[in-house]
Amino acid sequence: MNIKFGIIGAGMIGSDHATRINKSLNGGIVTAVNDINIESAKRLVAELGTAEVFEDPYDLIRSPEVNAILVCSIGSTHEEFVLASIAAGKYVFCEKPLATSASACKNIVDAEMNFGKRLVQVGFMRRYDSGYQKLKKVIENSEIGDVLMIHCAHRNPTVPESYVTEMAVSDSLVHEIDVIRWLLKEDYVTAQMIFAKKTKRSHGNLHDPQILLLETRSGIRIDVEMFVNCQYGYDIQCELVGSDGIAKLPEPESLVIRKDEKKFTSIDTDWKKRFIKAYDIELQEFIDGIVGNKIQGPSSWDGYVAAIACDICIKAQKTKAIEPFSIVETPKFYR
Ligand code: ISE
């Protein structure tokens, strides 16, 4: 039997997920679509041929034609839709961020714990990328000794005017914040944000580039260069420096071309393509989890901890100081 999915948010990532459920993955079918812009919902429904448009997102969540929900709408709406899904007792996959503040994420954590069973998976897809999984094995097998430092870069070719300074944290750095905590199995203790010389390509409400410095409980230092107007491509780098060696995130596969006295490889510009396989795997795991009645992907606790870190980094953007984290112990429910 196919799991019947209702999708809230028929924009870029919502329609990509809908197509992958219907065309590439096993065990799911999209039966319902809602979007604040009804025309977008109608367009996606016409493309899919398996779903109907719901004008009201809450009707979609409650519909007997929907077994599980995908929340792909704008971040500020996530809390209400995830809470409504939990209230309906349905599994819900929520794109990042789980919610736009730590307190909103905590409301979701509390609701899920009160329900008594994990229902929420957060879209931290980098955990499913084969490169990051290889790095995790290197750490688990102590192949480079103890990890001492991690150097990362997160570069986007360009961003729209609506992308402001804080979004470097909440929209982009949130991926490093999650994936490095997952790699190291350690929480952070301090964060600092440094603004580099501003690129002439940046608009008025965005300081670009920025550097994030994090420190973990055991003293590992992480630096992330966040440069969202780098022009040349979408480029994600991660290098572990260990006591006995170095391990680097593999580059995406790309042809080497020799031409005009030059040798070159191309670089993708689209972040959705860079992690396309990871998106497939994370959603397949979500479907399989629903079928087996036990989901195991990134939890609402992970979403909550990432939101706490984002709040602290956004504070650090303003204070320019080293900001401490208060320790939050993971409840048994999420361990
Ligand atoms: C975008 O919203 C994403 O989620 C991508 O994964 C991230 O790398 C990019 O910087 C964001 O703008």
Side-chain angles (χ1 to χ4, degrees):
M1 189 203 81
N2 275 330
I3 304 295
K4 294 187 239 168
F5 280 98
I7 299 200
I8 304 180
M12 273 189 307
I13 194 77
S15 28
D16 274 14
H17 283 333
T19 312
R20 61 170 52 88
I21 288 175
N22 274 12
K23 300 229 168 101
S24 319
L25 308 182
N26 297 318
I29 185 155
V30 180
T31 54
V33 177
N34 162 270
D35 194 282
I36 187 158
N37 175 348
I38 185 101
E39 292 311 316
S40 305
K42 283 185 184 158
R43 216 173 304 127
L44 181 57
V45 160
E47 266 168 45
L48 296 170
T50 57
E52 61 173 303
V53 174
F54 277 70
E55 286 189 23
D56 182 338
Y58 297 97
D59 286 346
L60 175 147
I61 291 170
R62 288 187 295 255
S63 166
E65 282 313 300
V66 169
N67 310 128
I69 294 105
L70 249 62
V71 177
C72 304
S73 47
I74 186 161
S76 53
T77 61
H78 289 184
E79 179 191 9
E80 52 172 318
F81 296 146
V82 174
L83 285 175
S85 305
I86 296 172
K90 293 188 181 176
Y91 285 104
V92 51
F93 176 94
C94 181
E95 262 309 324
K96 62 87 201 174
L98 174 60
T100 44
S101 70
S103 61
C105 291
K106 184 66 172 37
N107 293 338
I108 293 174
V109 162
D110 290 345
E112 190 177 41
M113 284 175 69
N114 281 337
F115 185 82
K117 180 178 132 190
R118 269 202 62 189
L119 291 177
V120 184
Q121 179 168 324
V122 183
F124 287 133
M125 78 299 180
R126 287 205 196 170
R127 296 183 183 200
Y128 297 91
D129 174 67
S130 64
Y132 280 107
Q133 295 206 338
K134 283 181 186 134
L135 289 182
K136 191 157 173 71
K137 289 224 171 68
V138 164
I139 298 175
E140 284 172 357
N141 300 334
S142 299
E143 284 176 51
I144 55 167
D146 299 330
V147 177
L148 311 173
M149 294 180 282
I150 306 185
H151 305 303
C152 307
H154 184 152
R155 304 194 186 111
N156 290 28
T158 131
V159 286
E161 289 273 319
S162 54
Y163 188 109
V164 295
T165 299
E166 294 79 8
M167 286 175 73
V169 173
S170 55
D171 196 56
S172 301
L173 283 168
V174 64
H175 286 296
E176 273 78 15
I177 288 171
D178 176 71
V179 84
I180 290 164
R181 174 176 164 267
W182 168 79
L183 280 174
L184 296 175
K185 291 198 197 136
E186 268 191 55
D187 281 315
Y188 304 119
V189 291
T190 66
Q192 185 183 6
M193 295 291 305
I194 295 170
F195 289 180
K197 178 173 174 177
K198 189 170 168 174
T199 166
K200 60 179 185 222
R201 317 257 184 209
S202 189
H203 59 77
N205 294 323
L206 170 66
H207 193 102
D208 185 43
Q210 308 177 32
I211 299 165
L212 165 63
L213 297 178
L214 290 165
E215 183 187 1
T216 69
R217 279 195 203 197
S218 74
I220 301 170
R221 289 293 188 157
I222 299 121
D223 55 272
V224 189
E225 174 207 304
M226 185 71 238
F227 186 16
V228 292
N229 285 288
C230 80
Q231 309 294 302
Y232 71 86
Y234 181 68
D235 194 6
I236 301 299
Q237 305 281 336
C238 179
E239 182 181 71
L240 311 180
V241 180
S243 51
D244 302 337
I246 307 280
K248 205 167 181 330
L249 187 71
E251 293 284 341
E253 200 179 80
S254 172
L255 274 182
V256 179
I257 301 201
R258 290 171 164 82
K259 196 182 163 198
D260 297 337
E261 300 169 27
K262 289 192 192 83
K263 186 172 97 177
F264 59 92
T265 61
S266 57
I267 302 177
D268 266 341
T269 51
D270 182 351
W271 50 266
K272 291 189 297 328
K273 279 202 196 131
R274 168 66 180 83
F275 289 107
I276 195 157
K277 287 194 188 128
Y279 283 117
D280 286 351
I281 300 168
E282 72 167 352
L283 265 190
Q284 186 64 63
E285 190 186 286
F286 182 59
I287 298 174
D288 296 344
I290 299 173
V291 173
N293 208 14
K294 189 173 174 27
I295 53 167
Q296 315 215 31
S299 67
S300 45
W301 184 259
D302 296 320
Y304 170 52
V305 175
I308 295 178
C310 287
D311 284 357
I312 291 172
C313 294
I314 289 172
K315 182 173 178 205
Q317 284 178 324
K318 297 188 173 91
T319 63
K320 305 281 187 306
I322 300 174
E323 295 293 342
F325 283 61
S326 30
I327 305 293
V328 278
E329 292 300 338
T330 312
K332 209 166 145 214
F333 186 84
Y334 290 105
R335 260 183 250 142

